[in-house]
Amino acid sequence: MSLSDQSTVENYSSADIAIEQIPPHRSHDPSNNLKRSDPFQFGSRYLLPEDNPYEFNAWDHVEPSPEDLIRFESQIEVQRATPVSEFDRIRFNMEPEKWWNKFYANNTSNFFKDRKWLQQEFPILKEVTQKNSGTRVVLEVGAGAGNTCFPILRGNENDDLMIHACDFSQKAIDLIRESETYDETHIHAEVWDVSSPSLPLGLEEGSVDVVIMVFIFSALHPLQWKQAVCNIWRLLKPGGEVCFRDYGRGDLAQVRMKKGRWMEENFYIRGDGTRVYFFAQDELKDIWSGELFRSEKYQQSIRDSEDEPAAATIRLKPAPSFNVTSLGIDRRLLINRHKQLKMYRCWMQGRFLKSVPNDEV
């Protein structure tokens, strides 16, 4: 995604100093500085070898230098050496919805920004809102305060669109239902844990066209991934699509984790008690293709974690296999020019399709 930092060029008299044209890669070109219409074009301000990184506040597609990677790993080694206590590990894994309820109680809907960029990154979300596009069912998992579903509804022209907004936090669902935009003609909000054996109220197997999962999969314990993926598979129609975005390995939020937050590799507890996992690209591909769940390593992790509350939800059945049509890394280098600091952000974004059975092709 590119930055929304469009600048306006005013008219100058002949006495004014001529303004040198800024190269397009700076994202100041009007054709370059807005969000792109094609998906997975995350940004267009490229940092070249001759550039001064402190010239702008942010750069796109910048990978950490070898020196930065060494620094990141040294910080994570400190995290591993000072993990969360066994008492807190069990406490935070036992009732994750409790901590999310507290989070939404402390942060009202005004705290969150609307995700207006989603329809440009995931064109299917634009398609389902088009006039006369027919009956379409969208499920948002981890709907939070409604900052994804409400922007979609505001631009909706499809009389037959229905959005099911689900979250395992009752407080989050309350925020959605209390919004003046909430209209049960096109939206239904319900408490649902995607890692539970049950399906959301009002939805049947094979009834959903699109599933939105934005910064929700990272809140699950790794032993809950399989059940969550199985549930999404059950809900989607053949050919249905998952729109996915979440935290990537080495993101600033991971590197900055303090002592006493590390629970297991790449899995942490934030200061507010909510959990977060940081994914690698190949790891996500293996999760959604089903390869991870068929591996001996994963089966062994289940056997080794029989005392984990999350292990109770694991079903030893064949894992579904989604078609991973797109899976990209969105990198951003943020600059604190005053302190001369570099801060690396990393997110994963993907589209996963439920395969169409051979007899339906």
Side-chain angles (χ1 to χ4, degrees), residues 99-153:
W99 304 100
W100 283 106
N101 278 329
K102 289 186 175 182
F103 174 83
Y104 286 109
N106 295 329
N107 300 286
T108 65
S109 57
N110 293 332
F111 174 82
F112 308 96
K113 294 182 180 180
D114 284 348
R115 293 165 177 159
K116 300 177 182 179
W117 48 268
L118 278 176
Q119 288 183 319
Q120 295 179 358
E121 295 296 336
F122 301 104
I124 186 65
L125 298 179
K126 183 66 174 179
E127 294 175 17
V128 299
T129 63
Q130 297 298 303
K131 189 175 182 179
N132 300 324
S133 58
T135 301
R136 297 297 187 99
V137 177
V138 175
L139 168 64
E140 183 186 4
V141 183
N147 299 89
T148 291
C149 57
F150 288 143
I152 293 175
L153 284 178

Side-chain angles (χ1 to χ4, degrees), residues 78-105:
V78 173
Q79 296 168 358
R80 293 190 188 105
T82 55
V84 66
S85 68
E86 182 67 11
F87 173 80
D88 281 342
R89 183 183 66 84
I90 295 175
R91 179 167 67 102
F92 290 125
N93 281 328
M94 185 69 72
E95 296 179 288
E97 68 278 6
K98 169 184 175 181
W99 304 100
W100 283 106
N101 278 329
K102 289 186 175 182
F103 174 83
Y104 286 109

Side-chain angles (χ1 to χ4, degrees), residues 51-260:
D51 289 329
N52 173 12
Y54 301 104
E55 182 181 0
F56 294 104
N57 292 328
W59 301 84
D60 298 301
H61 311 295
V62 180
E63 296 193 23
S65 67
E67 294 78 12
D68 287 321
L69 292 175
I70 293 173
R71 179 171 57 86
F72 294 170
E73 184 56 37
S74 66
Q75 290 174 288
I76 292 174
E77 283 293 343
V78 173
Q79 296 168 358
R80 293 190 188 105
T82 55
V84 66
S85 68
E86 182 67 11
F87 173 80
D88 281 342
R89 183 183 66 84
I90 295 175
R91 179 167 67 102
F92 290 125
N93 281 328
M94 185 69 72
E95 296 179 288
E97 68 278 6
K98 169 184 175 181
W99 304 100
W100 283 106
N101 278 329
K102 289 186 175 182
F103 174 83
Y104 286 109
N106 295 329
N107 300 286
T108 65
S109 57
N110 293 332
F111 174 82
F112 308 96
K113 294 182 180 180
D114 284 348
R115 293 165 177 159
K116 300 177 182 179
W117 48 268
L118 278 176
Q119 288 183 319
Q120 295 179 358
E121 295 296 336
F122 301 104
I124 186 65
L125 298 179
K126 183 66 174 179
E127 294 175 17
V128 299
T129 63
Q130 297 298 303
K131 189 175 182 179
N132 300 324
S133 58
T135 301
R136 297 297 187 99
V137 177
V138 175
L139 168 64
E140 183 186 4
V141 183
N147 299 89
T148 291
C149 57
F150 288 143
I152 293 175
L153 284 178
R154 292 187 191 107
N156 178 47
E157 298 179 351
N158 181 8
D159 293 337
D160 297 314
L161 174 69
M162 175 56 71
I163 297 179
H164 290 259
C166 295
D167 200 290
F168 69 179
S169 166
Q170 180 65 61
K171 184 60 181 176
I173 296 303
D174 291 343
L175 288 173
I176 293 177
R177 291 174 177 171
E178 292 166 3
S179 170
E180 60 183 17
T181 311
Y182 187 75
D183 178 1
E184 292 198 344
T185 303
H186 293 293
I187 184 171
H188 177 73
E190 196 69 43
V191 174
W192 181 57
D193 180 355
V194 67
S195 66
S196 69
S198 61
L199 298 182
L201 186 66
L203 288 176
E204 300 177 350
E205 292 193 18
S207 63
V208 175
D209 295 284
V210 183
V211 174
I212 304 172
M213 302 185 73
V214 177
F215 298 110
I216 178 271
F217 208 63
S218 56
L220 301 179
H221 189 285
L223 291 179
Q224 295 176 305
W225 293 344
K226 183 179 180 182
Q227 183 64 58
V229 173
C230 287
N231 284 340
I232 300 304
W233 177 272
R234 292 170 61 195
L235 286 163
L236 278 173
K237 299 175 182 178
E241 180 173 332
V242 179
C243 302
F244 183 96
R245 185 173 174 88
D246 223 314
Y247 295 103
R249 193 76 45 83
D251 181 62
L252 176 67
Q254 179 180 19
V255 176
R256 279 187 170 179
M257 282 289 177
K258 298 179 180 179
K259 296 179 180 179

